[in-house]
């Protein structure tokens, strides 16, 4: 590995550690708020079990999202946003 690249990587790791410890502020921050899972599911016309299968999660997880005991994060939140924005395209793509 190139020495300059290695030094940049080490610098990035040190910066990440400082941010994680609250010693530095991130240069930017992205927050993705997931849409309401129940509303999205109801708009698709799918049952809980069908929608959970589509999202690749358990029915119990979907129920927790719908009852706001848990909130989808990461890829699940992004997928919910996609299904919310373009349900026809998402359903066609995910049903294969």
């Amino acid at each position: 590995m190139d020495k300059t690249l290695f030094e940049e990587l080490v610098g990035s790791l040190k910066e990440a550690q400082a941010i994680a410890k609250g010693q530095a502020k991130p240069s930017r921050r992205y927050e993705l708020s997931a849409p309401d899972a129940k509303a999205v599911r109801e708009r698709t016309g799918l049952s809980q079990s069908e929608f959970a299968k589509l999202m690749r999660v358990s029915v119990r997880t979907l129920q927790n999202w719908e009852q706001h005991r848990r909130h989808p994060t990461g890829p699940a939140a992004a997928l919910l946003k996609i299904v919310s924005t373009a349900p026809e395209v998402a359903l066609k793509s995910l049903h294969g």
Side-chain angles (χ1 to χ4, degrees):
M1 178 182 284
D2 183 342
K3 185 176 180 178
T4 304
L5 178 59
F6 180 76
E7 289 172 358
E8 288 177 9
L9 288 172
V10 170
S12 293
L13 289 172
K14 287 180 180 178
E15 183 180 359
Q17 185 179 31
I19 292 169
K21 290 181 177 180
Q23 298 168 343
K25 288 191 173 192
S27 60
R28 61 188 164 273
R29 183 180 176 133
Y30 298 98
E31 290 194 28
L32 177 65
S33 58
D36 182 61
K38 185 173 184 179
V40 173
R41 179 185 60 79
E42 288 176 342
R43 280 198 357 225
T44 64
L46 298 174
S47 68
Q48 283 185 335
S49 61
E50 292 168 330
F51 195 74
K53 191 175 191 177
L54 177 81
M55 294 289 296
R56 309 287 199 276
V57 298
S58 71
V59 173
R60 192 73 180 135
T61 296
L62 178 61
Q63 290 170 342
N64 283 332
W65 293 346
E66 289 190 356
Q67 295 170 13
H68 305 285
R69 289 190 295 250
R70 297 264 188 250
H71 302 282
T73 58
L79 184 55
L80 266 178
K81 180 74 171 172
I82 292 167
V83 174
S84 172
T85 303
E88 300 83 18
V89 175
L91 291 174
K92 184 179 178 183
S93 298
L94 293 170
H95 277 298

